[in-house]
Amino acid sequence: MEISGIVSALVIGIVIGVLGRLVVPGRQRIGVLWTIAVGIVAAFVGTALAAALGVADTDGVDWIEWLVQIALAAAGVAALSRVKALR
């Protein structure tokens, strides 16, 4: 992977994290850096999952891949927020 691919993956991960946080209702007890980290992980895992399902490369915008990534980010944000609330 080239450096431009890594940078774009990080930027997309940030966007995915923010969208995932917006999907989760209520107040989340995690900071911005945790949101970004969850988004980056969700972007990479979501891309791998979409590739395994065969929906990663489509004509035009990969909407299914985006939905998988956002769902993973939302689940990650909710889980991390719950763990932080228990402390």
Side-chain angles (χ1 to χ4, degrees), residues 10-22 27-41 73 76-77 80-81 84:
L10 293 175
V11 170
I12 290 171
I14 291 169
V15 172
I16 294 295
V18 170
L19 291 173
R21 188 174 179 134
L22 289 174
R27 183 176 185 270
Q28 293 83 38
R29 292 170 171 78
I30 62 172
V32 174
L33 293 178
W34 279 113
T35 301
I36 292 170
V38 167
I40 291 169
V41 170
V77 165
L80 190 57
S81 180
K84 292 276 191 170

Side-chain angles (χ1 to χ4, degrees), residues 58-85:
T58 59
D59 294 334
V61 179
D62 298 328
W63 293 110
I64 297 172
E65 182 178 359
W66 273 83
L67 290 174
V68 168
Q69 292 171 338
I70 292 169
L72 288 173
V77 165
L80 190 57
S81 180
R82 184 168 292 234
V83 167
K84 292 276 191 170

